[in-house]
């Protein structure tokens, strides 16, 4: 009957796991980069355990249970007027977008090194922009759909969690000081990705594969969208990363704005 319970009841309960630490939130070099990119104090992650079997087809119910769970609600914060405040109204609905997560190496970014975005030294090629005085070919590739560089990556590559993390870091927060070289973006993306996802190795083929299910989530109360922010903004995001074997789920989130300036 345990299987039946998993299939049909699907009522999840959650418990915070404060002992679960993330190296990217402990590592001084990474925190200094977050500060430089105006993301410090606004990007974080928290892990919870849950008590039922998880199947991807139950993602909507899982996410709604998550945002309604008292243990989650008491630990969640949203940003309003630049300050983190508790969720003050019950969640009535959630929007859930499945996010592909299949990459087990950084090879996805190989095209960046041969398409004219970088100089041989690894420095980013600068370019003119109507709005941004300090612009480069990397951000143009990430953001400008009508640019020549945009086609370097197709829709499938851009949908991957690994690519999304990279883009989030490159675009940064409100007062972001952009890098002159590619390396800090690549290395920090790798660090966060390895921290967030779970993998397994096939004992016969020795092939490593991702076992995590990733969901981009947005929660609504009676007044409308409330988490991760009232306003829709590409750089205000929340992902649920589910490890179905450990029955752990990590909430990784960022609220766009001005980051803190002290470690």
């Amino acid at each position: 009957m345990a299987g039946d319970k998993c299939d049909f009841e699907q009522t999840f309960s959650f418990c915070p796991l404060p002992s679960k630490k993330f190296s990217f939130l402990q590592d001084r070099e990474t925190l200094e980069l977050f500060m430089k990119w105006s993301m410090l104090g606004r990007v974080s992650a928290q892990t919870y355990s849950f008590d039922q079997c998880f199947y991807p087809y139950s993602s909507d119910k899982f996410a709604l249970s998550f945002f309604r769970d008292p243990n989650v609600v008491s630990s969640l914060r949203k940003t309003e007027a630049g300050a983190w405040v508790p969720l003050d109204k019950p969640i009535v609905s959630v929007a859930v977008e499945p996010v592909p997560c299949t990459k087990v190496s950084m090879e996805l970014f190989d095209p960046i090194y041969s398409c004219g975005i970088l100089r041989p030294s690894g420095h980013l090629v600068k370019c003119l922009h109507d709005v941004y005085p300090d612009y480069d070919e990397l951000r143009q590739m990430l953001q400008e759909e009508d640019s020549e560089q945009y086609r370097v990556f197709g829709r499938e590559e851009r949908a991957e969690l690994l690519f999304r993390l990279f883009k989030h870091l490159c675009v940064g927060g409100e007062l972001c000081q952009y890098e002159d070289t590619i390396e800090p973006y690549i290395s920090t993306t790798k660090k966060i990705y390895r921290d967030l996802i779970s993998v397994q190795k096939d004992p016969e083929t020795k092939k490593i594969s991702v076992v995590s299910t990733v969901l981009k989530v947005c929660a609504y109360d009676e007044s409308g969208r409330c988490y991760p922010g009232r306003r829709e903004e590409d750089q205000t995001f929340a992902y649920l990363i589910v490890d179905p074997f450990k029955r752990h789920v990590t909430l990784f989130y960022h609220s766009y704005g001005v980051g803190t300036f002290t470690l």
Side-chain angles (χ1 to χ4, degrees):
M1 293 301 289
D4 294 343
K5 187 173 182 181
C6 285
D7 279 343
F8 299 117
E9 285 190 15
Q10 289 299 312
T11 51
F12 297 93
S13 294
F14 298 85
C15 183
L17 296 175
S19 60
K20 168 69 175 172
K21 305 294 184 187
F22 297 93
S23 63
F24 71 88
L25 294 174
Q26 313 270 306
D27 176 59
R28 186 177 181 87
E29 185 181 349
T30 305
L31 295 176
E32 286 174 350
L33 286 170
F34 284 157
M35 184 164 61
K36 186 178 179 183
W37 300 336
S38 196
M39 299 174 84
L40 187 64
R42 308 188 73 89
V43 62
S44 196
Q46 191 165 349
T47 299
Y48 303 80
S49 62
F50 57 91
D51 64 341
Q52 297 288 338
C53 302
F54 171 84
Y55 300 103
Y57 64 73
S58 63
S59 294
D60 286 30
K61 191 166 283 189
F62 179 86
L64 188 58
S65 295
F66 180 82
F67 283 106
R68 285 179 169 175
D69 188 279
N71 288 326
V72 173
V73 171
S74 64
S75 62
L76 277 187
R77 297 288 183 270
K78 60 178 180 173
T79 53
E80 281 187 3
W84 288 98
V85 296
L87 295 180
D88 51 353
K89 297 177 184 174
I91 299 302
V92 296
S93 65
V94 291
V96 178
E97 176 195 348
V99 175
C101 183
T102 64
K103 303 302 179 186
V104 292
S105 78
M106 302 297 283
E107 290 175 5
L108 173 70
F109 300 113
D110 285 356
I112 287 178
Y113 296 89
S114 57
C115 68
I117 289 174
L118 299 179
R119 302 197 183 284
S121 62
H123 284 73
L124 298 166
V125 175
K126 301 292 183 180
C127 60
L128 296 173
H129 192 276
D130 294 339
V131 178
Y132 305 107
D134 178 27
Y135 209 57
D136 55 59
E137 295 280 1
L138 175 64
R139 278 181 289 150
Q140 188 172 62
M141 177 275 289
L142 292 171
Q143 296 177 293
E144 309 284 336
E145 290 189 34
D146 56 353
S147 73
E148 188 179 322
Q149 304 288 20
Y150 193 86
R151 294 189 294 274
V152 170
F153 291 93
R155 190 178 298 171
E156 281 187 19
E157 289 97 342
R158 288 173 178 272
E160 283 277 340
L161 178 66
L162 183 60
F163 189 94
R164 293 178 190 227
L165 293 179
F166 177 72
K167 181 178 177 180
H168 288 318
L169 296 180
C170 293
V171 176
E174 196 170 333
L175 296 180
C176 181
Q177 299 174 59
Y178 299 102
E179 298 296 324
D180 293 322
T181 63
I182 193 76
E183 198 281 328
Y185 297 130
I186 294 287
S187 61
T188 309
T189 300
K190 182 178 181 179
K191 198 171 290 181
I192 296 174
Y193 190 70
R194 289 180 66 172
D195 251 6
L196 294 178
I197 67 159
S198 302
V199 298
Q200 67 180 10
K201 182 186 281 189
D202 186 298
E204 292 182 7
T205 65
K206 308 298 183 195
K207 185 179 178 184
I208 295 172
S209 60
V210 177
V211 297
S212 303
T213 294
V214 181
L215 311 168
K216 188 175 184 183
V217 290
C218 178
Y220 297 79
D221 60 23
E222 61 185 18
S223 303
R225 178 190 175 104
C226 68
Y227 188 88
R230 289 275 176 207
R231 285 174 51 240
E232 193 164 343
E233 156 65 55
D234 285 348
Q235 286 295 93
T236 295
F237 56 80
Y239 296 99
L240 290 177
I241 297 126
V242 185
D243 183 329
F245 299 114
K246 288 183 179 176
R247 290 190 182 175
H248 288 178
V249 56
T250 296
L251 175 68
F252 175 67
Y253 58 95
H254 174 253
S255 177
Y256 179 78
V258 180
T260 56
F261 296 104
T262 53
L263 288 178

